[in-house]
Amino acid sequence: MLRESLRYPLGGDGAAERIIVGGGLHVVTAFVPLVPLILVFGYLVRVLDHVGDGPAAFRDGTPPGFGDWRALVVDGVKATLVILCYVAGPLVVLLVTLGGASELSPETLAGTASIAVLAGSTAALLAALGVAYLLPAALAGYARERRLRAAFDRSLLRTTATDARYFVAVVAAAGLLSVAAVLSSLGAPRSVPRFVGFFLLFYAEVAAAALVGRVLGESVPAGENVPAGRTEAG
């Protein structure tokens, strides 16, 4: 399945165009923060929807294109909202912990208060790990139904969180993205211009989305608990 996911971004006749557009959006992000990433998020939602149909999407071998930019923006904005909602909790805990620590004197921090700071930091870290684990399932839930509330479906989240295949897929996807992020930041190999790393990062994002999306598609078959209007943007 990992091999199929790695081949997935390069499938079809328009592979070069998709990689150029997606990587180009990452390049633009270096100059115009966030806005181009909304389009990337929208495209990844489209990928999650496509591979959610199961093995047939991989047999077809052609990822979705960047067409219908208006729908892409809508999906990107909603995916961004989902991400913000999920990261809000850990971020608040971290900010409160750091804010409280900044008001303490060094002498106080060396005493009992240091335990509270450590506990708060640990809680923020654990919450962040939980969010990172559930977020792909949440985005896939939105991709299937095109409704924000689907990203917070407790039944879907509970089912996927305890699925061993989902765990393996998330860990593999995280590893793939980490390697791509390191390579893109280093510009490796050294003989390759650094901006090429942005295109490598987009390729890894699509492959990771394909990997997680397929596992979720097989765990929760397409059409299950999905209303008839799943393709609507509302």
Side-chain angles (χ1 to χ4, degrees):
M1 186 176 296
L2 179 58
R3 290 182 180 179
E4 292 177 331
S5 299
L6 291 174
R7 290 195 297 264
Y8 178 81
L10 304 178
D13 296 332
E17 179 182 352
R18 290 191 301 272
I19 297 296
I20 289 173
V21 173
L25 289 172
H26 278 291
V27 173
V28 176
T29 302
F31 305 96
V32 184
L34 185 60
V35 176
L37 283 183
I38 290 177
L39 295 173
V40 174
F41 293 154
Y43 181 76
L44 294 178
V45 165
R46 194 170 287 181
V47 170
L48 287 169
D49 183 31
H50 181 244
V51 300
D53 291 333
F58 284 85
R59 286 197 296 269
D60 174 70
T62 304
F66 273 92
D68 194 353
W69 289 88
R70 180 179 178 278
L72 205 65
V73 170
V74 171
D75 284 337
V77 169
K78 292 187 176 182
T80 302
L81 290 175
V82 171
I83 294 171
L84 291 176
C85 287
Y86 271 81
V87 303
L91 184 59
V92 168
V93 173
L94 180 61
L95 291 177
V96 169
T97 301
L98 295 178
S102 65
E103 296 178 359
L104 299 175
S105 64
E107 294 78 12
T108 305
L109 280 175
T112 307
S114 62
I115 299 177
V117 173
L118 178 61
S121 301
T122 302
L125 175 61
L126 293 177
L129 290 175
V131 164
Y133 182 63
L134 291 177
L135 188 55
L139 292 173
Y142 165 72
R144 290 166 64 91
E145 299 189 22
R146 291 303 201 275
R147 297 178 184 276
L148 285 174
R149 63 185 179 186
F152 306 94
D153 185 337
R154 293 182 181 180
S155 176
L156 172 65
L157 296 176
R158 183 168 52 251
T159 300
T160 55
T162 56
D163 188 329
R165 296 184 68 215
Y166 175 74
F167 174 80
V168 173
V170 169
V171 171
L176 177 61
L177 291 174
S178 298
V179 170
V182 170
L183 292 179
S184 63
S185 64
L186 296 177
R190 297 291 183 178
S191 58
V192 178
R194 184 170 180 176
F195 75 88
V196 174
F198 290 111
F199 299 90
L200 173 63
L201 184 59
F202 176 73
Y203 161 83
E205 289 168 347
V206 176
L211 176 60
V212 175
R214 176 175 176 179
V215 169
L216 286 171
E218 294 176 351
S219 301
V220 184
E224 182 175 319
N225 297 326
V226 176
R230 67 186 282 263
T231 59
E232 297 177 0

